[in-house]
């Protein structure tokens, strides 16, 4: 698959602004707050999986830890985004995945971002949001992060990383649209001005 430049999908306007700012905030917090504690891997890929990115904790494991903390924060907390970011240090990938999970409280109009590392969640940020955040339906989520990454890997990710071994990789689970709560994965690899991205259903694992 050839390199592709990233373009934001959606109905534009408020949806693009809200979801874009939410993801950027979570990703920035993840990199700035959680990254310094990560250690590079000593080599070796997970058995039976060619992708060199760490798979533990998985998104579902991270979500369970964050959900408990979010319900303590606000009982009506609903998931808005679930994201991770991988970047090499001294030519090595980190030894584990670090996740940021955004929750939105409709009753208070507030958003909270939790970081999850080694299955432990901590509150990173809490703030009012200018608009209600779209959320995804937890009960419809079937596809965990290893399965989503495998689809991305087979759908051009392997070729992209082979040509751009120093690329950074980000994965996010969010709603399909402002009024569509179906969970959808977006996996993106960036190397300079080259971008490869793929959307995958969080319900059945099909490419979107």
């Amino acid at each position: 698959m050839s390199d592709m430049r990233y373009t934001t999908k959606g109905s534009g306007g408020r949806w693009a602004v809200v979801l874009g700012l939410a993801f950027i905030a979570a990703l920035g917090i993840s990199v700035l707050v959680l990254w310094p504690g990560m250690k590079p891997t000593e080599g070796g890929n997970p058995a039976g999986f060619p992708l060199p990115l760490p798979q533990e904790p998985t998104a579902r494991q991270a979500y369970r830890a964050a959900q408990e903390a979010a319900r303590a924060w606000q009982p009506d907390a609903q998931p808005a985004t679930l994201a991770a970011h991988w970047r090499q240090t001294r030519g090595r990938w980190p030894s584990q995945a670090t996740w940021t999970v955004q929750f939105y409280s409709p009753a208070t109009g507030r958003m909270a971002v939790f970081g999850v590392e080694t299955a432990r969640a901590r509150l990173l940020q809490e703030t009012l949001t200018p608009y209600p955040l779209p959320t995804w339906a937890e009960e419809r989520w079937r596809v965990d992060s290893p399965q989503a990454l495998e689809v991305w890997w087979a759908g051009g990710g392997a070729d992209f990383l082979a040509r751009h071994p120093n690329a950074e990789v980000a994965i996010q689970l969010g709603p399909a649209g402002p009024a569509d709560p179906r969970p959808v994965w977006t996996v993106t690899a960036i190397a300079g001005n080259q971008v490869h991205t793929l959307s995958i259903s969080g319900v059945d694992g099909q490419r979107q």
Side-chain angles (χ1 to χ4, degrees):
M1 179 179 292
S2 60
D3 297 348
M4 297 180 288
R5 292 183 180 274
Y6 178 74
T7 57
T8 303
K9 296 181 179 179
S11 58
R14 190 170 73 179
W15 165 243
V17 171
V18 171
L19 192 58
L21 289 177
F23 176 55
I24 291 171
L27 183 58
I29 290 170
S30 174
V31 173
L32 294 176
V33 176
L34 296 176
W35 184 264
M38 299 295 289
K39 297 179 180 180
T41 181
E42 292 301 324
N45 298 336
F49 195 72
L51 184 65
L53 303 177
Q55 300 297 300
E56 299 290 339
T58 69
R60 191 168 295 280
Q61 291 169 335
Y63 178 75
R64 287 172 183 156
Q67 183 185 44
E68 182 177 353
R71 294 288 169 80
W73 165 68
Q74 294 292 341
D76 69 330
Q78 300 176 13
T81 62
L82 175 60
H85 171 260
W86 294 276
R87 179 180 59 186
Q88 293 192 59
T89 300
R90 298 187 297 276
R92 294 177 176 175
W93 294 102
S95 59
Q96 63 184 17
T98 300
W99 294 89
T100 54
V101 191
Q102 289 183 335
F103 288 90
Y104 175 67
S105 167
T108 64
R110 301 185 71 84
M111 175 193 74
V113 181
F114 294 86
V116 181
E117 186 177 2
T118 62
R120 293 191 300 269
R122 56 177 170 140
L123 180 64
L124 301 180
Q125 184 185 42
E126 179 189 8
T127 185
L128 282 169
T129 60
Y131 305 107
L133 287 184
T135 57
W136 47 270
E138 175 189 355
E139 67 276 7
R140 301 187 66 179
W141 180 26
R142 300 288 184 271
V143 179
D144 203 356
S145 52
Q147 289 73 45
L149 285 168
E150 187 172 7
V151 174
W152 171 80
W153 184 253
D159 180 63
F160 187 88
L161 285 190
R163 288 182 287 114
H164 307 284
N166 294 321
E168 299 184 24
V169 180
I171 184 172
Q172 175 182 277
L173 183 68
D180 187 347
R182 290 175 302 151
V184 173
W185 285 108
T186 302
V187 187
T188 303
I190 303 174
N193 64 351
Q194 301 298 311
V195 178
H196 171 70
T197 187
L198 190 67
S199 295
I200 302 136
S201 171
V203 179
D204 58 18
Q206 297 299 307
R207 293 171 58 174
Q208 301 291 286

